[in-house]
Amino acid sequence: MTTPHSVFCDDYDPNSLSIAEASQRILQAMTPAEGVEWVSVRSSLGRVLATDLVAPHDVPAHRNSAMDGYAFRWQDCDDQKNTPNIALKIVGISAAGHPYQGPLPERAAVRIMTGAVVPNEADTVVMQERITLDESKTHLTLSPDALPALGANIRHPGEDLKAQVMALPAGRLIRPADVGLAASLGCAEVPVRPKLRVAFFSTGDELCSLGHTPQVGQVFDSNRYTLFGMLEQLNVEWHDLGVVKDSPEALEEAFQRANQCADVIISSGGVSVGDADFVRGILDSLGRTVFWKIAIKPGRPFAYGQFTGGKHFFGLPGNPVAVMVTFYQIVRPAIMRLQGRHPLPDALILKAQTRTALKKMPGRFEFQRGVLSMDENANWQVNATGEQGSGMLSSMSLANCFIRLPESAGKIEAGSWVEVEPFNYGL
Ligand code: AMP
Ligand code: MG
């Protein structure tokens, strides 16, 4: 933000885009997936629906009982309401899957189970707890006070879904209820978008892959593992291309490999202004950088570009927390759009009272890590996870939310209300 005082502070960089502008520009550049793949209804879980799912018939298809009880004609009982007891003759049974086939004479009832078809002439069901059976179980009596309202306890055809209405819209992420809904419509197969292919690799001469012994000055590569986890949750087809050395040749070779197997390419590290930061140079020789640097913390050195041929490239910073912040804030919505999800879900943002003071300088939008919980008055409260270094992956592991501090904010006192964005909820 170009607030007057932020111009003079270290965190202000006139060449950085705001997070809002960066997000908007990236989303505009994404063309949603086309193409249709038919998969079994179970395999559709977590996929994106390709075409509207229209109900071919009413759900439920038949008028059926919402209770175990007795179905009858309401008028027959109303006629008897001035007697001490309403009496009906029981003429048959309608069980779930076994409808009663006979007629319903006057002053008669059919024993009925939940989900069973209600005989045509019946208009009301009384629950079995309200009636008394005679010894032979051929008649029932009912106190006039216990007579339910006309139409009670009957579920009507189409009350869940009417035939020909849209049951699920194209672009929807298919969740457990939707899998069941598709099954209730008789869909054994569901049309979904093809899986997005995403390739990723880490860059850095200091990186040691799992299974090797780190030499002095080396660190284990963790970014490929967090990226794997975040991509897996988005249900993409991912390709891990390993660790790539800090050399233009190695990087170019990695980009070529990625281009062959993926629609989206993600790298981490090597995108800043250090002597070994070659990512942007190679990107410009194989395509173009659309923008570089976002005014966020952590995660300022972030590049978005396109390769010749249109594939998308996200150059994430190297620091492990910055990788996760930029992925969640920018790459994830972009992937969702490419997957054809529509509309994109809004981030869940709550107001919480911070229990800890928060260090901050004006200039960048910060995503600090916090633990969100409910206090004794049912208000949301948040505690920062402690030191907020962008290399401290343990802070992400401890946290269940980002504390969102806008560009213009300076130090935040304990007790202030702040915006938080939960992640991993339910997990
Ligand atoms: P860079 O952006 O390449 O300058 O890297 C910034 C910091 O992140 C350095 O301390 C790197 O060692 C660290 N880093 C880069 N890539 C990874 C990775 N894949 N796993 C863990 N740390 C990394
Ligand atoms: Mg590096």
Side-chain angles (χ1 to χ4, degrees), residues 66-147:
M67 293 283 172
D68 291 329
Y70 294 84
F72 56 88
R73 214 181 275 106
W74 187 82
Q75 193 60 52
D76 289 351
C77 294
D78 195 53
D79 291 346
Q80 304 179 55
K81 72 174 179 242
N82 296 324
T83 60
N85 268 318
I86 298 170
L88 298 172
K89 178 173 187 227
I90 300 167
V91 292
I93 297 181
S94 184
H98 304 280
Y100 171 71
Q101 306 285 6
L104 185 70
E106 275 189 19
R107 298 202 173 182
V110 165
R111 168 86 174 120
I112 194 162
M113 310 306 164
T114 304
V117 175
V118 177
N120 281 339
E121 303 98 318
D123 54 20
T124 306
V125 169
V126 61
M127 62 196 286
Q128 63 188 35
E129 290 81 353
R130 298 231 175 144
I131 62 100
T132 310
L133 284 179
D134 69 355
E135 231 162 63
S136 64
K137 300 198 170 149
T138 55
H139 289 80
L140 66 84
T141 53
L142 168 69
S143 137
D145 305 341
L147 177 64

Side-chain angles (χ1 to χ4, degrees), residues 27-266:
L27 286 181
Q28 274 167 0
M30 303 293 136
T31 312
E34 289 181 357
V36 181
E37 196 182 306
W38 285 85
V39 296
S40 75
V41 64
R42 280 201 187 102
S43 310
S44 74
L45 182 65
R47 303 289 295 269
V48 177
L49 188 62
T51 55
D52 292 347
L53 210 63
V54 173
H57 54 75
D58 281 340
V59 180
H62 315 281
R63 221 163 55 117
N64 68 86
S65 177
M67 293 283 172
D68 291 329
Y70 294 84
F72 56 88
R73 214 181 275 106
W74 187 82
Q75 193 60 52
D76 289 351
C77 294
D78 195 53
D79 291 346
Q80 304 179 55
K81 72 174 179 242
N82 296 324
T83 60
N85 268 318
I86 298 170
L88 298 172
K89 178 173 187 227
I90 300 167
V91 292
I93 297 181
S94 184
H98 304 280
Y100 171 71
Q101 306 285 6
L104 185 70
E106 275 189 19
R107 298 202 173 182
V110 165
R111 168 86 174 120
I112 194 162
M113 310 306 164
T114 304
V117 175
V118 177
N120 281 339
E121 303 98 318
D123 54 20
T124 306
V125 169
V126 61
M127 62 196 286
Q128 63 188 35
E129 290 81 353
R130 298 231 175 144
I131 62 100
T132 310
L133 284 179
D134 69 355
E135 231 162 63
S136 64
K137 300 198 170 149
T138 55
H139 289 80
L140 66 84
T141 53
L142 168 69
S143 137
D145 305 341
L147 177 64
L150 173 64
N153 302 320
I154 292 183
R155 303 194 281 218
H156 294 276
E159 79 176 26
D160 186 359
L161 284 171
K162 284 241 176 304
Q164 303 314 320
V165 301
M166 196 221 309
L168 292 172
R172 168 159 187 115
L173 177 78
I174 300 175
R175 294 186 276 253
D178 307 328
V179 178
L181 197 68
S184 78
L185 298 175
C187 302
E189 294 204 315
V190 175
V192 296
R193 293 294 180 206
K195 276 198 179 185
L196 190 71
R197 301 171 310 156
V198 182
F200 60 91
F201 57 85
S202 296
T203 71
D205 286 350
E206 77 283 29
L207 300 180
C208 176
S209 289
L210 291 183
H212 295 79
T213 309
Q215 307 299 307
V216 178
Q218 284 201 310
V219 292
F220 280 116
D221 175 5
S222 59
N223 289 345
R224 280 191 295 131
Y225 295 88
T226 44
L227 279 172
F228 145 78
M230 294 186 291
L231 287 167
E232 183 74 15
Q233 290 190 328
L234 286 171
N235 212 356
V236 301
E237 177 189 307
W238 52 264
H239 297 263
D240 181 346
L241 303 187
V243 171
V244 176
K245 289 283 176 206
D246 283 322
S247 87
E249 296 73 27
L251 271 174
E252 181 163 348
E253 193 265 334
F255 279 138
Q256 305 286 15
R257 270 194 297 147
N259 235 323
Q260 274 161 23
C261 66
D263 313 302
V264 172
I265 296 144
I266 301 175

Side-chain angles (χ1 to χ4, degrees), residues 237-412:
E237 177 189 307
W238 52 264
H239 297 263
D240 181 346
L241 303 187
V243 171
V244 176
K245 289 283 176 206
D246 283 322
S247 87
E249 296 73 27
L251 271 174
E252 181 163 348
E253 193 265 334
F255 279 138
Q256 305 286 15
R257 270 194 297 147
N259 235 323
Q260 274 161 23
C261 66
D263 313 302
V264 172
I265 296 144
I266 301 175
S267 69
S268 70
V271 77
S272 194
V273 290
D275 294 343
D277 292 334
F278 300 114
V279 170
R280 282 191 308 125
I282 304 295
L283 173 62
D284 283 330
S285 72
L286 300 177
R288 69 189 183 103
T289 306
V290 176
F291 67 79
W292 174 59
K293 285 205 283 191
I294 308 177
I296 58 174
K297 185 177 179 180
R300 174 158 49 196
F302 174 99
Y304 166 66
Q306 286 165 2
F307 288 105
T308 312
K311 296 202 170 163
H312 300 281
F313 170 70
F314 298 97
L316 275 44
N319 276 308
V321 181
V323 164
M324 296 197 76
V325 168
T326 51
F327 186 94
Y328 279 139
Q329 296 299 325
I330 297 167
V331 183
R332 189 168 173 268
I335 286 181
M336 288 179 180
R337 165 106 0 130
L338 287 173
Q339 289 176 312
R341 276 191 68 177
H342 183 78
L344 287 187
D346 289 329
L348 173 62
I349 294 173
L350 309 172
K351 285 263 185 194
Q353 205 168 19
T354 178
R355 295 280 161 230
T356 36
L358 305 170
K359 275 193 240 160
K360 161 105 173 48
M361 298 234 281
R364 286 196 267 172
F365 200 119
E366 284 196 25
F367 295 90
Q368 300 198 4
R369 274 73 66 207
V371 178
L372 178 69
S373 59
M374 201 171 254
D375 70 14
E376 56 285 0
N377 301 316
N379 289 318
W380 292 113
Q381 60 178 4
V382 66
N383 286 279
T385 53
E387 283 302 317
Q388 295 284 325
S390 62
M392 297 169 63
L393 197 51
S394 58
S395 74
M396 270 307 289
S397 178
L398 275 174
N400 62 4
C401 70
F402 290 123
I403 306 173
R404 298 166 54 100
L405 304 176
E407 285 95 334
S408 57
K411 179 176 188 286
I412 311 276

